[in-house]
């Protein structure tokens, strides 16, 4: 059992009823292994490099902004922008969003793995 980490933009994110899902190809680090799957989003973590390993839950407004910035789309098409804003607001209100400032050490990855596993379970 392990936690699944998706990287980069949230283009594969979607909503079915009240639940949010991430879908598509999820690349697993440098192993070049990928698998096409759809899984529920239980938490979102924004990574930053820093001198210590510190995780904090973002307030709703900050979380919505972080999510919105990761959604691609036509910035000049008002209806698309409105749709993305609504999606970001719904996702931020439903799924916890964290900022994780961490070192480059292996211990940082284990810390996050343990934190998410303890709070959201391992899949």
């Amino acid at each position: 059992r392990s936690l699944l980490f998706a990287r980069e933009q949230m283009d594969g994110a979607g909503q079915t009823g009240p639940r949010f899902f991430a879908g598509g190809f999820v690349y697993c680090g440098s192993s070049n292994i990928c698998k096409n799957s759809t899984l529920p989003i239980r938490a979102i973590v924004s990574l930053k490099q820093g001198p210590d390993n510190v995780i904090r839950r973002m307030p709703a407004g900050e979380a919505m902004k972080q999510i919105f910035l990761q959604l691609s789309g036509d910035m000049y098409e008002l209806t698309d922008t409105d749709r993305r804003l609504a999606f970001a607001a719904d996702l931020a209100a439903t799924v916890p969003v964290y900022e994780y400032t961490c070192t480059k050490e292996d211990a940082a990855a284990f810390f996050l793995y343990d934190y998410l596993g303890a709070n959201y379970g391992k899949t």
Side-chain angles (χ1 to χ4, degrees):
R1 295 188 166 258
S2 63
L3 296 169
L4 179 65
F5 292 90
R7 301 181 296 137
E8 304 301 327
Q9 292 185 331
M10 299 179 57
D11 292 334
Q15 184 176 6
T16 302
R19 298 195 63 189
F20 289 87
F21 294 88
F25 285 107
V26 181
Y27 291 91
C28 303
S30 61
S31 65
N32 295 321
I33 297 171
C34 64
K35 80 177 169 182
N36 193 5
S37 59
T38 301
L39 299 169
I41 299 173
R42 291 190 260 168
I44 296 171
V45 180
S46 175
L47 300 174
K48 290 174 53 176
Q49 188 174 338
D52 297 307
N53 299 326
V54 179
I55 191 164
R56 71 173 182 91
R57 187 163 179 177
M58 291 183 183
E62 185 180 352
M64 181 183 155
K65 177 183 172 187
Q66 184 65 34
I67 292 167
F68 181 76
L69 292 173
Q70 298 302 317
L71 297 172
S72 64
D74 186 352
M75 295 298 286
Y76 303 103
E77 180 61 45
L78 189 56
T79 56
D80 187 47
T81 301
D82 287 346
R83 183 181 56 78
R84 289 185 308 122
L85 279 170
F87 181 83
D90 289 347
L91 183 55
T94 306
V95 175
V97 180
Y98 295 93
E99 177 182 78
Y100 182 41
T101 303
C102 58
T103 66
K104 297 187 291 183
E105 305 301 319
D106 290 347
F110 292 119
F111 175 86
L112 182 60
Y113 179 87
D114 290 341
Y115 180 87
L116 293 175
N119 289 286
Y120 301 102
K122 297 174 181 156
T123 57

